[in-house]
């Protein structure tokens, strides 16, 4: 009972920030439908993927997991059990698990490592347990570990229906990656772990006076972005994604525990994006829960955006990403 899977990270074009009140059940139901691109790195030596091996065996004495070679425990291991326990129950298996997981990009730096990781975990676990689940069903189980992992169960462009219960909050593919011509130039200004994880940050969203406004606008924008993706309309997708990211950071900055994920360098990158746009280059930014910036542009413009950013002096490195294929099981096991 052993299987491995590879899954890619994703970048939200319409953000998930803050959760529905589910009476403490930990369902990670978002306040609004949201949209993303599952992304594969094609430069900078990073494919932006998580490779995870899961094994169940009656001879194991306890559940264990090594993340990047480090044995995890406490809340981290609990989150893994939130995904695996229901799958174990469904399969009628009581054995303990051993998991190994590695990312080929910085963990917890706002590059959605948890999305890739929990997506790969759900896929590898269900395969090891011999369960035959659809990607939509699998996405609901991945969601229990990390909300945004829902969207990494599909490649290409993805829509997360917020739903109002465990079963109704799932991810659906909008289209394959080659339907909408988009790249993200990821500008890394800091590779360290972020101070406050998004897992904790979500809990404070409701304390911002802008929370309800953001959720309401995002609900409408998710629909607009979905149809603009299908129309291959970068201007609409990019300008809405940029605005939507600012709404999220406005909520973060004005929460009771103010969250400032931006750094000085982040603002310099934003200014460069604006300057490139004024020069006629169609490029937009979006930022997750960290200081790094995703610049959204056409694939043919990505090298120019990358060159401009790398010339900025304040940038550690860049990675060009394109839409990824679906996550899949692989024969190479980590142990
Ligand atoms: O899945 P989480 O709990 O790590 O939340 C991710 C939230 C953002 O990355 C900031 C936005 C998003 O929709 O991915």
């Amino acid at each position: 009972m052993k299987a491995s899977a590879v899954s890619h990270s994703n970048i939200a074009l319409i953000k998930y920030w803050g959760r529905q009140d589910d009476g403490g059940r930990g369902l990670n139901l978002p306040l609004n439908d949201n949209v993303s691109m599952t992304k594969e790195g094609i430069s900078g030596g990073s494919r932006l993927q998580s490779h995870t091996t899961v094994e169940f065996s009656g001879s194991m004495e306890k559940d264990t997991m090594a993340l990047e070679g480090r044995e995890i425990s406490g809340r981290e291991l609990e989150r893994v059990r939130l995904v695996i326990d229901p799958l174990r129950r469904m399969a009628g298996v009581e054995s303990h698990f051993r998991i190994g997981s590695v990312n080929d990009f910085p963990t917890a730096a706002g590059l959605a490592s948890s999305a890739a990781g929990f997506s790969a975990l759900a896929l590898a676990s269900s395969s090891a347990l011999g369960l035959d689940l659809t990607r939509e069903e699998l996405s609901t189980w991945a969601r229990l570990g990390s909300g945004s992992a829902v969207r990494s169960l599909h490649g290409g462009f993805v829509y997360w229906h917020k739903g109002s219960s465990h079963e109704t909050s799932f991810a659906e593919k909008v289209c394959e990656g080659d339907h909408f011509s988009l790249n993200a130039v990821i500008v890394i200004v800091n590779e360290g772990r972020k101070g406050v994880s998004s897992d904790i940050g979500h809990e404070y969203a409701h304390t911002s006076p802008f929370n309800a406004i953001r959720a309401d606008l995002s609900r409408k924008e998710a629909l607009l972005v979905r149809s603009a993706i299908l129309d291959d309309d970068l201007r609409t997708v990019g300008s809405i994604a940029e605005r939507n990211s600012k709404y999220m950071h406005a909520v973060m900055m004005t929460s009771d525990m103010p969250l400032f994920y931006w750094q000085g360098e982040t603002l310099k990158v934003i200014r460069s994006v604006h300057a490139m746009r004024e020069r006629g280059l169609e490029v937009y930014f979006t930022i997750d829960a960290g200081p790094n910036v995703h610049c959204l542009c056409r694939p043919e413009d990505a090298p120019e955006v990358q060159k401009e950013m790398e010339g900025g002096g304040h940038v550690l490195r860049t990675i060009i990403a394109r839409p990824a294929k679906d996550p899949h099981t692989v024969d190479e096991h980590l142990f």
Side-chain angles (χ1 to χ4, degrees), residues 250-263:
V251 168
M252 290 164 160
M253 290 175 193
T254 52
S255 295
D256 245 3
M257 180 177 57
L259 294 168
F260 287 82
Y261 287 111
W262 294 6
Q263 296 181 353

Side-chain angles (χ1 to χ4, degrees), residues 60 86 265:
M60 292 172 192
E265 291 78 9

Side-chain angles (χ1 to χ4, degrees), residues 12 15-17 114 146-148 151 198-199 202 248 252 288-289:
K15 306 294 185 189
Y16 149 52
W17 192 250
S114 63
S146 162
S148 56
R151 299 182 309 230
S198 36
D199 186 38
H202 288 292
M248 180 180 74
M252 290 164 160
D288 272 349

Side-chain angles (χ1 to χ4, degrees), residues 105-319:
F105 58 100
T107 301
L111 293 179
S113 56
S114 63
F118 279 108
S119 163
L121 177 76
L123 186 55
S125 306
S126 70
S127 174
L129 291 165
L131 294 168
D132 186 19
L133 301 174
T134 64
R135 292 300 161 113
E136 280 75 11
E137 283 170 313
L138 267 180
S139 76
T140 65
W141 299 114
R143 193 193 67 240
L144 302 182
S146 162
S148 56
V150 164
R151 299 182 309 230
S152 277
L153 262 304
H154 298 286
F157 296 91
V158 183
Y159 192 96
W160 176 6
H161 297 272
K162 75 182 180 95
S164 55
S165 62
H166 174 66
E167 293 75 20
T168 55
S169 185
F170 65 92
E172 179 183 32
K173 188 180 284 189
V174 175
C175 59
E176 297 296 345
D178 53 7
H179 186 91
F180 173 40
S181 187
L182 185 73
N183 272 186
V185 179
I186 307 167
V187 183
I188 298 172
V189 298
N190 186 330
E191 295 195 301
R193 290 179 79 86
K194 57 194 171 204
V196 177
S197 72
S198 36
D199 186 38
I200 309 242
H202 288 292
E203 298 298 320
Y204 289 86
H206 72 278
T207 63
S208 163
F210 304 120
N211 185 44
I213 305 170
R214 187 207 69 82
D216 192 43
L217 290 169
S218 300
R219 181 175 58 79
K220 297 173 188 142
E221 291 181 346
L223 297 171
L224 293 173
V225 162
R226 179 168 63 179
S227 69
I229 286 172
L230 290 169
D231 289 344
D232 192 26
D233 176 356
L234 174 60
R235 181 165 306 207
T236 302
V237 173
S239 53
I240 294 179
E242 187 170 305
R243 210 162 66 202
N244 193 267
S245 158
K246 289 185 288 183
Y247 299 156
M248 180 180 74
H249 285 273
V251 168
M252 290 164 160
M253 290 175 193
T254 52
S255 295
D256 245 3
M257 180 177 57
L259 294 168
F260 287 82
Y261 287 111
W262 294 6
Q263 296 181 353
E265 291 78 9
T266 311
L267 211 50
K268 288 184 187 156
V269 175
I270 291 174
R271 292 215 170 96
S272 302
V273 168
H274 288 161
M276 279 187 273
R277 214 155 60 217
E278 272 160 31
R279 287 204 322 258
L281 194 67
E282 224 185 329
V283 52
Y284 304 86
F285 72 80
T286 183
I287 306 169
D288 272 349
N292 304 315
V293 183
H294 283 65
C295 300
L296 307 170
C297 61
R298 293 295 192 191
E300 56 272 25
D301 292 332
E304 187 175 341
V305 173
Q306 180 180 44
K307 194 162 156 247
E308 176 87 16
M309 290 301 170
E310 288 187 343
H314 42 274
V315 168
L316 291 182
R317 65 191 179 102
T318 60
I319 302 169

